[in-house]
Amino acid sequence: MKTLLRGRVLSFTAEPVNADDSSAFTYFEDGAVLVDGGEIVAMAEFGDMDASGAEIVDHRPNLIMPGFIDTHNHFPQMQVIGSYGAQLLDWLNNYTFPAETKFVNSKHAERMAVKYFDEMLRNGTTTPVAYCSVHKESAEAYFAEAERRNIRALGGKVLMDRNAPDGLLDTPQTAYDETNELIGKWHGRGRGLYVISPRFAITSTPEQLEMTQALVAENRDCYMQTHLSENHDEIAYTMSLYPQHSDYLGIYEHYGLLGPKSLFGHCIHLNDRERALMAETQSVAVFCPTSNLFIGSGLFNEERTREDGVRIAVATDIGGGTSYSMLRTMDEAYKVCQLQNQNLPPLYAFYLMTLGNARALGLETDIGTLEVGSSADIAVLDARATPSMALRMETVETLAEELFVLQTLGDDRSVVETYVAGIAAKPV
Ligand code: GUN
Ligand code: ZN
């Protein structure tokens, strides 16, 4: 069955090079996207579209754009959001690890997976990249729920064999065996993709990082994710555990974990060598602004990281992060840049949430744009969703200004509908 979505259609084609770079996107004021079999088969002016045989859904005057991509968050941390008064290592020990311990229970994991994908879709996010807990049950629940909803979802069980409660520890061998089992079951099944997920160097012994190296080497089509240089105490503790390495990234380098499919969360306090090595290996730095502010970790240097040639992605980092919304996330990203006298133009912010994040995952032919051949993973946004937004919109004259209203004031209320492979899926 064909569906034609009519509205103001916006899709990026390139990274904007300045605040009003209109060559970086396609925009139709009265446009339409034609969906057939879960795929986009046409994107054009409404008047130029052959809508015969299609059900027409009129979203005017709202914006039709690619669904958002959240490149780093923690599925077992939904009940950790808003935990008071701690910086990273205390926050992990006092709140996060106890919450993750519960995911040994499949029933708990399954209940949370339903809530997790509900929140993603409520906020217009159609592709998440998740850390599950150490328990393979949590990854099973995550991928099974994504499959049920036909969601392009990436994730993996975390590998951690020290410096955490007993209920959260695997061993190098069980980490290897269970990850292999999960890759065999879920990688490339439906729309699922597996991410090998050593939590961070503090919670992995050298033996476990060696096993991780083997997993990465043996599964080149899978992704790798970990945390890097988030907090000063974390860095000092890490270097005390791995004193033979000159810097934090050098540890992951030693174990062969860098590369174009490697996602490093945070990257706030990198030195020059680490930044150059990230760029050289095409590794991705994932900027998580609400988390970095909430846990008090520091200010990600977006300009410097980009100018040094490091690939950048953006993410919520739930539950260190405080919102499931990529709009709220980019609002905080803007403020992080402001505090360093840097700019984050709305066109660039919307590029990052869509095509930019898709490119970071190497998935831009399937997600992140509305180009023909992409999956019809779509968010419909209303910049007048609240009284204050409607009032502000009375004075808005350009598309970039409207996007900035969405970025600054928007949240799940601005998401009118979320389509997953062409099917309306925003929970009520
Ligand atoms: N570093 C290691 N684990 C975590 C986590 O769960 N959240 C954040 N923000 N940083 C981490
Ligand atoms: Zn994280």
Side-chain angles (χ1 to χ4, degrees), residues 62-63 65 68 121-124 325 327-328 350 379-386 389-390 402-403 405-418 426:
N62 296 324
L63 282 164
M65 62 177 74
F68 300 136
L121 298 180
R122 194 188 317 288
N123 285 281
S325 167
L327 297 171
R328 306 292 340 112
F350 276 78
V380 181
L381 298 189
D382 177 6
R384 296 176 184 79
T386 67
M389 292 176 82
E402 178 179 353
L403 295 179
V405 168
L406 280 164
Q407 176 183 333
T408 308
L409 299 171
D411 54 30
D412 58 304
R413 293 169 295 180
S414 317
V415 179
V416 173
E417 190 53 272
T418 308
K426 185 179 179 189

PDB file of all heavy atoms in Angstrom, residues 62-63 65 68 121-124 325 327-328 350 379-386 389-390 402-403 405-418 426:
ATOM      1  N   ASN A  62       3.108  21.463   8.843  1.00  0.00           N
ATOM      2  CA  ASN A  62       4.236  20.934   9.620  1.00  0.00           C
ATOM      3  C   ASN A  62       5.385  20.466   8.731  1.00  0.00           C
ATOM      4  O   ASN A  62       5.223  20.259   7.543  1.00  0.00           O
ATOM      5  CB  ASN A  62       3.757  19.801  10.521  1.00  0.00           C
ATOM      6  CG  ASN A  62       2.764  20.302  11.554  1.00  0.00           C
ATOM      7  OD1 ASN A  62       2.921  21.418  12.049  1.00  0.00           O
ATOM      8  ND2 ASN A  62       1.744  19.522  11.848  1.00  0.00           N
ATOM      9  N   LEU A  63       6.535  20.306   9.383  1.00  0.00           N
ATOM     10  CA  LEU A  63       7.757  19.904   8.680  1.00  0.00           C
ATOM     11  C   LEU A  63       7.881  18.380   8.660  1.00  0.00           C
ATOM     12  O   LEU A  63       7.764  17.729   9.709  1.00  0.00           O
ATOM     13  CB  LEU A  63       8.983  20.481   9.394  1.00  0.00           C
ATOM     14  CG  LEU A  63       9.296  21.957   9.161  1.00  0.00           C
ATOM     15  CD1 LEU A  63      10.285  22.449  10.221  1.00  0.00           C
ATOM     16  CD2 LEU A  63       9.893  22.163   7.756  1.00  0.00           C
ATOM     17  N   MET A  65      10.525  15.542   8.075  1.00  0.00           N
ATOM     18  CA  MET A  65      11.987  15.367   7.961  1.00  0.00           C
ATOM     19  C   MET A  65      12.382  13.944   8.367  1.00  0.00           C
ATOM     20  O   MET A  65      11.548  13.185   8.871  1.00  0.00           O
ATOM     21  CB  MET A  65      12.722  16.431   8.766  1.00  0.00           C
ATOM     22  CG  MET A  65      12.479  16.432  10.237  1.00  0.00           C
ATOM     23  SD  MET A  65      13.480  17.695  11.061  1.00  0.00           S
ATOM     24  CE  MET A  65      12.621  19.167  10.588  1.00  0.00           C
ATOM     25  N   PHE A  68      14.979  11.179  13.764  1.00  0.00           N
ATOM     26  CA  PHE A  68      16.254  11.470  14.422  1.00  0.00           C
ATOM     27  C   PHE A  68      17.008  10.182  14.750  1.00  0.00           C
ATOM     28  O   PHE A  68      16.416   9.104  14.866  1.00  0.00           O
ATOM     29  CB  PHE A  68      16.023  12.266  15.709  1.00  0.00           C
ATOM     30  CG  PHE A  68      15.341  13.580  15.475  1.00  0.00           C
ATOM     31  CD1 PHE A  68      14.308  13.992  16.307  1.00  0.00           C
ATOM     32  CD2 PHE A  68      15.705  14.413  14.420  1.00  0.00           C
ATOM     33  CE1 PHE A  68      13.667  15.204  16.103  1.00  0.00           C
ATOM     34  CE2 PHE A  68      15.075  15.628  14.199  1.00  0.00           C
ATOM     35  CZ  PHE A  68      14.049  16.025  15.047  1.00  0.00           C
ATOM     36  N   LEU A 121      10.324   6.812  20.063  1.00  0.00           N
ATOM     37  CA  LEU A 121       9.386   7.193  19.003  1.00  0.00           C
ATOM     38  C   LEU A 121       8.572   8.422  19.396  1.00  0.00           C
ATOM     39  O   LEU A 121       8.255   9.256  18.551  1.00  0.00           O
ATOM     40  CB  LEU A 121       8.455   6.023  18.671  1.00  0.00           C
ATOM     41  CG  LEU A 121       9.158   4.766  18.141  1.00  0.00           C
ATOM     42  CD1 LEU A 121       8.128   3.674  17.838  1.00  0.00           C
ATOM     43  CD2 LEU A 121       9.980   5.057  16.888  1.00  0.00           C
ATOM     44  N   ARG A 122       8.267   8.574  20.664  1.00  0.00           N
ATOM     45  CA  ARG A 122       7.543   9.762  21.129  1.00  0.00           C
ATOM     46  C   ARG A 122       8.350  11.029  20.810  1.00  0.00           C
ATOM     47  O   ARG A 122       7.822  12.097  20.589  1.00  0.00           O
ATOM     48  CB  ARG A 122       7.319   9.665  22.650  1.00  0.00           C
ATOM     49  CG  ARG A 122       6.302  10.657  23.188  1.00  0.00           C
ATOM     50  CD  ARG A 122       6.241  10.670  24.726  1.00  0.00           C
ATOM     51  NE  ARG A 122       6.267   9.372  25.362  1.00  0.00           N
ATOM     52  CZ  ARG A 122       5.259   8.506  25.353  1.00  0.00           C
ATOM     53  NH1 ARG A 122       4.146   8.806  24.747  1.00  0.00           N
ATOM     54  NH2 ARG A 122       5.379   7.338  25.961  1.00  0.00           N
ATOM     55  N   ASN A 123       9.664  10.872  20.804  1.00  0.00           N
ATOM     56  CA  ASN A 123      10.554  12.017  20.577  1.00  0.00           C
ATOM     57  C   ASN A 123      11.079  12.099  19.141  1.00  0.00           C
ATOM     58  O   ASN A 123      11.992  12.873  18.864  1.00  0.00           O
ATOM     59  CB  ASN A 123      11.714  11.970  21.576  1.00  0.00           C
ATOM     60  CG  ASN A 123      11.258  12.398  22.964  1.00  0.00           C
ATOM     61  OD1 ASN A 123      11.116  13.582  23.218  1.00  0.00           O
ATOM     62  ND2 ASN A 123      10.969  11.442  23.837  1.00  0.00           N
ATOM     63  N   GLY A 124      10.526  11.300  18.265  1.00  0.00           N
ATOM     64  CA  GLY A 124      10.913  11.380  16.857  1.00  0.00           C
ATOM     65  C   GLY A 124      12.207  10.668  16.529  1.00  0.00           C
ATOM     66  O   GLY A 124      12.726  10.812  15.420  1.00  0.00           O
ATOM     67  N   SER A 325      14.789  13.622  24.085  1.00  0.00           N
ATOM     68  CA  SER A 325      14.562  14.422  22.879  1.00  0.00           C
ATOM     69  C   SER A 325      15.870  14.907  22.265  1.00  0.00           C
ATOM     70  O   SER A 325      16.680  15.552  22.926  1.00  0.00           O
ATOM     71  CB  SER A 325      13.695  15.630  23.252  1.00  0.00           C
ATOM     72  OG  SER A 325      13.694  16.571  22.196  1.00  0.00           O
ATOM     73  N   LEU A 327      15.879  17.230  20.175  1.00  0.00           N
ATOM     74  CA  LEU A 327      15.713  18.697  20.137  1.00  0.00           C
ATOM     75  C   LEU A 327      16.257  19.310  21.427  1.00  0.00           C
ATOM     76  O   LEU A 327      17.028  20.274  21.405  1.00  0.00           O
ATOM     77  CB  LEU A 327      14.233  19.063  19.950  1.00  0.00           C
ATOM     78  CG  LEU A 327      13.590  18.593  18.648  1.00  0.00           C
ATOM     79  CD1 LEU A 327      12.083  18.821  18.684  1.00  0.00           C
ATOM     80  CD2 LEU A 327      14.216  19.305  17.450  1.00  0.00           C
ATOM     81  N   ARG A 328      15.872  18.733  22.558  1.00  0.00           N
ATOM     82  CA  ARG A 328      16.405  19.220  23.845  1.00  0.00           C
ATOM     83  C   ARG A 328      17.939  19.057  23.869  1.00  0.00           C
ATOM     84  O   ARG A 328      18.674  19.869  24.418  1.00  0.00           O
ATOM     85  CB  ARG A 328      15.817  18.451  25.039  1.00  0.00           C
ATOM     86  CG  ARG A 328      14.323  18.388  25.157  1.00  0.00           C
ATOM     87  CD  ARG A 328      13.613  19.713  25.482  1.00  0.00           C
ATOM     88  NE  ARG A 328      14.438  20.722  26.071  1.00  0.00           N
ATOM     89  CZ  ARG A 328      14.774  21.861  25.455  1.00  0.00           C
ATOM     90  NH1 ARG A 328      14.374  22.129  24.229  1.00  0.00           N
ATOM     91  NH2 ARG A 328      15.503  22.735  26.076  1.00  0.00           N
ATOM     92  N   PHE A 350      20.360  20.420  12.937  1.00  0.00           N
ATOM     93  CA  PHE A 350      19.417  19.478  12.310  1.00  0.00           C
ATOM     94  C   PHE A 350      20.142  18.513  11.374  1.00  0.00           C
ATOM     95  O   PHE A 350      19.733  17.354  11.235  1.00  0.00           O
ATOM     96  CB  PHE A 350      18.266  20.225  11.611  1.00  0.00           C
ATOM     97  CG  PHE A 350      17.178  20.576  12.583  1.00  0.00           C
ATOM     98  CD1 PHE A 350      17.310  21.660  13.447  1.00  0.00           C
ATOM     99  CD2 PHE A 350      16.046  19.789  12.689  1.00  0.00           C
ATOM    100  CE1 PHE A 350      16.329  21.958  14.388  1.00  0.00           C
ATOM    101  CE2 PHE A 350      15.054  20.081  13.623  1.00  0.00           C
ATOM    102  CZ  PHE A 350      15.193  21.171  14.469  1.00  0.00           C
ATOM    103  N   ALA A 379      10.123  11.904  10.883  1.00  0.00           N
ATOM    104  CA  ALA A 379       9.535  12.674  11.990  1.00  0.00           C
ATOM    105  C   ALA A 379       8.790  13.862  11.396  1.00  0.00           C
ATOM    106  O   ALA A 379       9.280  14.503  10.466  1.00  0.00           O
ATOM    107  CB  ALA A 379      10.633  13.153  12.936  1.00  0.00           C
ATOM    108  N   VAL A 380       7.611  14.137  11.917  1.00  0.00           N
ATOM    109  CA  VAL A 380       6.841  15.311  11.500  1.00  0.00           C
ATOM    110  C   VAL A 380       6.818  16.284  12.665  1.00  0.00           C
ATOM    111  O   VAL A 380       6.396  15.923  13.774  1.00  0.00           O
ATOM    112  CB  VAL A 380       5.405  14.907  11.096  1.00  0.00           C
ATOM    113  CG1 VAL A 380       4.628  16.136  10.629  1.00  0.00           C
ATOM    114  CG2 VAL A 380       5.429  13.837  10.014  1.00  0.00           C
ATOM    115  N   LEU A 381       7.305  17.502  12.423  1.00  0.00           N
ATOM    116  CA  LEU A 381       7.514  18.451  13.520  1.00  0.00           C
ATOM    117  C   LEU A 381       6.649  19.700  13.381  1.00  0.00           C
ATOM    118  O   LEU A 381       6.516  20.268  12.300  1.00  0.00           O
ATOM    119  CB  LEU A 381       8.979  18.880  13.564  1.00  0.00           C
ATOM    120  CG  LEU A 381      10.025  17.799  13.817  1.00  0.00           C
ATOM    121  CD1 LEU A 381      11.387  18.439  14.039  1.00  0.00           C
ATOM    122  CD2 LEU A 381       9.668  16.932  15.011  1.00  0.00           C
ATOM    123  N   ASP A 382       6.118  20.138  14.543  1.00  0.00           N
ATOM    124  CA  ASP A 382       5.272  21.329  14.615  1.00  0.00           C
ATOM    125  C   ASP A 382       5.963  22.383  15.473  1.00  0.00           C
ATOM    126  O   ASP A 382       6.083  22.214  16.689  1.00  0.00           O
ATOM    127  CB  ASP A 382       3.921  20.932  15.225  1.00  0.00           C
ATOM    128  CG  ASP A 382       2.997  22.125  15.402  1.00  0.00           C
ATOM    129  OD1 ASP A 382       3.346  23.247  14.955  1.00  0.00           O
ATOM    130  OD2 ASP A 382       1.910  21.934  16.006  1.00  0.00           O
ATOM    131  N   ALA A 383       6.391  23.476  14.840  1.00  0.00           N
ATOM    132  CA  ALA A 383       7.102  24.536  15.574  1.00  0.00           C
ATOM    133  C   ALA A 383       6.150  25.434  16.364  1.00  0.00           C
ATOM    134  O   ALA A 383       6.593  26.367  17.037  1.00  0.00           O
ATOM    135  CB  ALA A 383       7.930  25.373  14.598  1.00  0.00           C
ATOM    136  N   ARG A 384       4.836  25.147  16.294  1.00  0.00           N
ATOM    137  CA  ARG A 384       3.855  25.926  17.073  1.00  0.00           C
ATOM    138  C   ARG A 384       3.183  25.032  18.123  1.00  0.00           C
ATOM    139  O   ARG A 384       2.051  25.297  18.537  1.00  0.00           O
ATOM    140  CB  ARG A 384       2.791  26.511  16.140  1.00  0.00           C
ATOM    141  CG  ARG A 384       3.340  27.513  15.131  1.00  0.00           C
ATOM    142  CD  ARG A 384       2.265  28.001  14.164  1.00  0.00           C
ATOM    143  NE  ARG A 384       2.842  28.881  13.153  1.00  0.00           N
ATOM    144  CZ  ARG A 384       3.520  28.459  12.065  1.00  0.00           C
ATOM    145  NH1 ARG A 384       3.683  27.162  11.855  1.00  0.00           N
ATOM    146  NH2 ARG A 384       4.015  29.325  11.208  1.00  0.00           N
ATOM    147  N   ALA A 385       3.882  24.021  18.564  1.00  0.00           N
ATOM    148  CA  ALA A 385       3.246  22.977  19.384  1.00  0.00           C
ATOM    149  C   ALA A 385       2.801  23.453  20.762  1.00  0.00           C
ATOM    150  O   ALA A 385       1.900  22.867  21.356  1.00  0.00           O
ATOM    151  CB  ALA A 385       4.197  21.797  19.535  1.00  0.00           C
ATOM    152  N   THR A 386       3.412  24.492  21.287  1.00  0.00           N
ATOM    153  CA  THR A 386       3.012  24.993  22.602  1.00  0.00           C
ATOM    154  C   THR A 386       2.646  26.469  22.453  1.00  0.00           C
ATOM    155  O   THR A 386       3.066  27.118  21.485  1.00  0.00           O
ATOM    156  CB  THR A 386       4.149  24.869  23.631  1.00  0.00           C
ATOM    157  OG1 THR A 386       5.214  25.765  23.238  1.00  0.00           O
ATOM    158  CG2 THR A 386       4.690  23.455  23.717  1.00  0.00           C
ATOM    159  N   MET A 389       5.707  28.608  21.899  1.00  0.00           N
ATOM    160  CA  MET A 389       6.288  28.408  20.563  1.00  0.00           C
ATOM    161  C   MET A 389       5.436  29.121  19.502  1.00  0.00           C
ATOM    162  O   MET A 389       5.966  29.783  18.601  1.00  0.00           O
ATOM    163  CB  MET A 389       6.393  26.911  20.227  1.00  0.00           C
ATOM    164  CG  MET A 389       7.408  26.163  21.079  1.00  0.00           C
ATOM    165  SD  MET A 389       7.415  24.385  20.732  1.00  0.00           S
ATOM    166  CE  MET A 389       8.443  24.339  19.259  1.00  0.00           C
ATOM    167  N   ALA A 390       4.123  29.010  19.634  1.00  0.00           N
ATOM    168  CA  ALA A 390       3.241  29.658  18.650  1.00  0.00           C
ATOM    169  C   ALA A 390       3.448  31.167  18.683  1.00  0.00           C
ATOM    170  O   ALA A 390       3.507  31.828  17.636  1.00  0.00           O
ATOM    171  CB  ALA A 390       1.790  29.300  18.949  1.00  0.00           C
ATOM    172  N   GLU A 402      12.915  29.089  12.185  1.00  0.00           N
ATOM    173  CA  GLU A 402      11.923  28.105  12.654  1.00  0.00           C
ATOM    174  C   GLU A 402      12.615  26.886  13.268  1.00  0.00           C
ATOM    175  O   GLU A 402      12.217  26.388  14.328  1.00  0.00           O
ATOM    176  CB  GLU A 402      11.027  27.680  11.486  1.00  0.00           C
ATOM    177  CG  GLU A 402       9.997  26.630  11.872  1.00  0.00           C
ATOM    178  CD  GLU A 402       9.091  26.241  10.706  1.00  0.00           C
ATOM    179  OE1 GLU A 402       9.182  26.879   9.641  1.00  0.00           O
ATOM    180  OE2 GLU A 402       8.304  25.296  10.879  1.00  0.00           O
ATOM    181  N   LEU A 403      13.669  26.432  12.608  1.00  0.00           N
ATOM    182  CA  LEU A 403      14.413  25.291  13.152  1.00  0.00           C
ATOM    183  C   LEU A 403      15.013  25.640  14.512  1.00  0.00           C
ATOM    184  O   LEU A 403      15.067  24.811  15.425  1.00  0.00           O
ATOM    185  CB  LEU A 403      15.518  24.853  12.179  1.00  0.00           C
ATOM    186  CG  LEU A 403      15.051  24.292  10.834  1.00  0.00           C
ATOM    187  CD1 LEU A 403      16.253  23.932   9.957  1.00  0.00           C
ATOM    188  CD2 LEU A 403      14.155  23.064  11.009  1.00  0.00           C
ATOM    189  N   VAL A 405      13.741  27.734  16.680  1.00  0.00           N
ATOM    190  CA  VAL A 405      12.648  27.677  17.655  1.00  0.00           C
ATOM    191  C   VAL A 405      12.431  26.226  18.095  1.00  0.00           C
ATOM    192  O   VAL A 405      12.308  25.933  19.296  1.00  0.00           O
ATOM    193  CB  VAL A 405      11.344  28.276  17.065  1.00  0.00           C
ATOM    194  CG1 VAL A 405      10.149  27.956  17.958  1.00  0.00           C
ATOM    195  CG2 VAL A 405      11.494  29.782  16.882  1.00  0.00           C
ATOM    196  N   LEU A 406      12.425  25.311  17.126  1.00  0.00           N
ATOM    197  CA  LEU A 406      12.260  23.888  17.473  1.00  0.00           C
ATOM    198  C   LEU A 406      13.398  23.396  18.360  1.00  0.00           C
ATOM    199  O   LEU A 406      13.202  22.676  19.333  1.00  0.00           O
ATOM    200  CB  LEU A 406      12.199  23.043  16.195  1.00  0.00           C
ATOM    201  CG  LEU A 406      10.854  23.011  15.473  1.00  0.00           C
ATOM    202  CD1 LEU A 406      11.017  22.488  14.059  1.00  0.00           C
ATOM    203  CD2 LEU A 406       9.850  22.163  16.261  1.00  0.00           C
ATOM    204  N   GLN A 407      14.613  23.813  18.006  1.00  0.00           N
ATOM    205  CA  GLN A 407      15.806  23.380  18.746  1.00  0.00           C
ATOM    206  C   GLN A 407      15.814  23.957  20.167  1.00  0.00           C
ATOM    207  O   GLN A 407      16.254  23.307  21.109  1.00  0.00           O
ATOM    208  CB  GLN A 407      17.043  23.841  17.971  1.00  0.00           C
ATOM    209  CG  GLN A 407      18.386  23.573  18.617  1.00  0.00           C
ATOM    210  CD  GLN A 407      19.528  24.140  17.775  1.00  0.00           C
ATOM    211  OE1 GLN A 407      19.416  24.275  16.559  1.00  0.00           O
ATOM    212  NE2 GLN A 407      20.625  24.490  18.420  1.00  0.00           N
ATOM    213  N   THR A 408      15.312  25.169  20.312  1.00  0.00           N
ATOM    214  CA  THR A 408      15.404  25.851  21.602  1.00  0.00           C
ATOM    215  C   THR A 408      14.210  25.550  22.512  1.00  0.00           C
ATOM    216  O   THR A 408      14.375  25.422  23.728  1.00  0.00           O
ATOM    217  CB  THR A 408      15.512  27.376  21.376  1.00  0.00           C
ATOM    218  OG1 THR A 408      16.563  27.621  20.447  1.00  0.00           O
ATOM    219  CG2 THR A 408      15.811  28.101  22.676  1.00  0.00           C
ATOM    220  N   LEU A 409      13.016  25.424  21.911  1.00  0.00           N
ATOM    221  CA  LEU A 409      11.795  25.269  22.719  1.00  0.00           C
ATOM    222  C   LEU A 409      11.095  23.931  22.512  1.00  0.00           C
ATOM    223  O   LEU A 409      10.157  23.601  23.234  1.00  0.00           O
ATOM    224  CB  LEU A 409      10.809  26.399  22.374  1.00  0.00           C
ATOM    225  CG  LEU A 409      11.291  27.826  22.644  1.00  0.00           C
ATOM    226  CD1 LEU A 409      10.315  28.841  22.054  1.00  0.00           C
ATOM    227  CD2 LEU A 409      11.455  28.068  24.138  1.00  0.00           C
ATOM    228  N   GLY A 410      11.564  23.175  21.534  1.00  0.00           N
ATOM    229  CA  GLY A 410      10.842  21.950  21.177  1.00  0.00           C
ATOM    230  C   GLY A 410      11.150  20.763  22.076  1.00  0.00           C
ATOM    231  O   GLY A 410      12.174  20.722  22.761  1.00  0.00           O
ATOM    232  N   ASP A 411      10.240  19.807  22.068  1.00  0.00           N
ATOM    233  CA  ASP A 411      10.437  18.533  22.779  1.00  0.00           C
ATOM    234  C   ASP A 411       9.458  17.530  22.177  1.00  0.00           C
ATOM    235  O   ASP A 411       9.056  17.706  21.021  1.00  0.00           O
ATOM    236  CB  ASP A 411      10.258  18.707  24.298  1.00  0.00           C
ATOM    237  CG  ASP A 411       8.927  19.352  24.662  1.00  0.00           C
ATOM    238  OD1 ASP A 411       7.945  19.164  23.900  1.00  0.00           O
ATOM    239  OD2 ASP A 411       8.858  20.043  25.685  1.00  0.00           O
ATOM    240  N   ASP A 412       9.036  16.527  22.923  1.00  0.00           N
ATOM    241  CA  ASP A 412       8.147  15.518  22.339  1.00  0.00           C
ATOM    242  C   ASP A 412       6.801  16.105  21.904  1.00  0.00           C
ATOM    243  O   ASP A 412       6.146  15.561  21.019  1.00  0.00           O
ATOM    244  CB  ASP A 412       7.941  14.348  23.313  1.00  0.00           C
ATOM    245  CG  ASP A 412       7.378  14.793  24.638  1.00  0.00           C
ATOM    246  OD1 ASP A 412       7.982  15.667  25.301  1.00  0.00           O
ATOM    247  OD2 ASP A 412       6.314  14.281  25.029  1.00  0.00           O
ATOM    248  N   ARG A 413       6.412  17.227  22.499  1.00  0.00           N
ATOM    249  CA  ARG A 413       5.142  17.851  22.086  1.00  0.00           C
ATOM    250  C   ARG A 413       5.222  18.398  20.668  1.00  0.00           C
ATOM    251  O   ARG A 413       4.196  18.607  20.024  1.00  0.00           O
ATOM    252  CB  ARG A 413       4.754  18.977  23.063  1.00  0.00           C
ATOM    253  CG  ARG A 413       4.408  18.474  24.462  1.00  0.00           C
ATOM    254  CD  ARG A 413       4.303  19.600  25.448  1.00  0.00           C
ATOM    255  NE  ARG A 413       5.597  20.271  25.645  1.00  0.00           N
ATOM    256  CZ  ARG A 413       5.798  21.293  26.461  1.00  0.00           C
ATOM    257  NH1 ARG A 413       4.778  21.801  27.156  1.00  0.00           N
ATOM    258  NH2 ARG A 413       6.989  21.832  26.588  1.00  0.00           N
ATOM    259  N   SER A 414       6.436  18.667  20.200  1.00  0.00           N
ATOM    260  CA  SER A 414       6.607  19.178  18.828  1.00  0.00           C
ATOM    261  C   SER A 414       6.604  18.050  17.797  1.00  0.00           C
ATOM    262  O   SER A 414       6.641  18.323  16.600  1.00  0.00           O
ATOM    263  CB  SER A 414       7.937  19.918  18.698  1.00  0.00           C
ATOM    264  OG  SER A 414       8.156  20.726  19.803  1.00  0.00           O
ATOM    265  N   VAL A 415       6.637  16.824  18.255  1.00  0.00           N
ATOM    266  CA  VAL A 415       6.645  15.690  17.321  1.00  0.00           C
ATOM    267  C   VAL A 415       5.187  15.274  17.080  1.00  0.00           C
ATOM    268  O   VAL A 415       4.537  14.696  17.951  1.00  0.00           O
ATOM    269  CB  VAL A 415       7.472  14.513  17.881  1.00  0.00           C
ATOM    270  CG1 VAL A 415       7.446  13.326  16.921  1.00  0.00           C
ATOM    271  CG2 VAL A 415       8.908  14.955  18.147  1.00  0.00           C
ATOM    272  N   VAL A 416       4.688  15.609  15.906  1.00  0.00           N
ATOM    273  CA  VAL A 416       3.291  15.326  15.570  1.00  0.00           C
ATOM    274  C   VAL A 416       3.116  13.844  15.267  1.00  0.00           C
ATOM    275  O   VAL A 416       2.125  13.229  15.644  1.00  0.00           O
ATOM    276  CB  VAL A 416       2.876  16.157  14.330  1.00  0.00           C
ATOM    277  CG1 VAL A 416       1.485  15.776  13.844  1.00  0.00           C
ATOM    278  CG2 VAL A 416       2.968  17.642  14.637  1.00  0.00           C
ATOM    279  N   GLU A 417       4.086  13.292  14.537  1.00  0.00           N
ATOM    280  CA  GLU A 417       4.019  11.875  14.187  1.00  0.00           C
ATOM    281  C   GLU A 417       5.426  11.352  13.933  1.00  0.00           C
ATOM    282  O   GLU A 417       6.329  12.117  13.573  1.00  0.00           O
ATOM    283  CB  GLU A 417       3.144  11.671  12.932  1.00  0.00           C
ATOM    284  CG  GLU A 417       2.811  10.222  12.616  1.00  0.00           C
ATOM    285  CD  GLU A 417       2.199   9.466  13.792  1.00  0.00           C
ATOM    286  OE1 GLU A 417       2.981   8.893  14.598  1.00  0.00           O
ATOM    287  OE2 GLU A 417       0.962   9.460  13.902  1.00  0.00           O
ATOM    288  N   THR A 418       5.610  10.081  14.195  1.00  0.00           N
ATOM    289  CA  THR A 418       6.869   9.395  13.877  1.00  0.00           C
ATOM    290  C   THR A 418       6.513   8.185  13.025  1.00  0.00           C
ATOM    291  O   THR A 418       5.652   7.385  13.417  1.00  0.00           O
ATOM    292  CB  THR A 418       7.570   8.925  15.168  1.00  0.00           C
ATOM    293  OG1 THR A 418       7.684  10.035  16.062  1.00  0.00           O
ATOM    294  CG2 THR A 418       8.948   8.355  14.866  1.00  0.00           C
ATOM    295  N   LYS A 426       4.014   6.934  16.523  1.00  0.00           N
ATOM    296  CA  LYS A 426       4.195   7.691  17.767  1.00  0.00           C
ATOM    297  C   LYS A 426       3.182   7.191  18.797  1.00  0.00           C
ATOM    298  O   LYS A 426       1.980   7.166  18.537  1.00  0.00           O
ATOM    299  CB  LYS A 426       3.991   9.194  17.524  1.00  0.00           C
ATOM    300  CG  LYS A 426       4.287   9.999  18.791  1.00  0.00           C
ATOM    301  CD  LYS A 426       4.149  11.499  18.678  1.00  0.00           C
ATOM    302  CE  LYS A 426       4.454  12.119  20.051  1.00  0.00           C
ATOM    303  NZ  LYS A 426       4.173  13.529  20.173  1.00  0.00           N
TER     304      LYS A 426
END
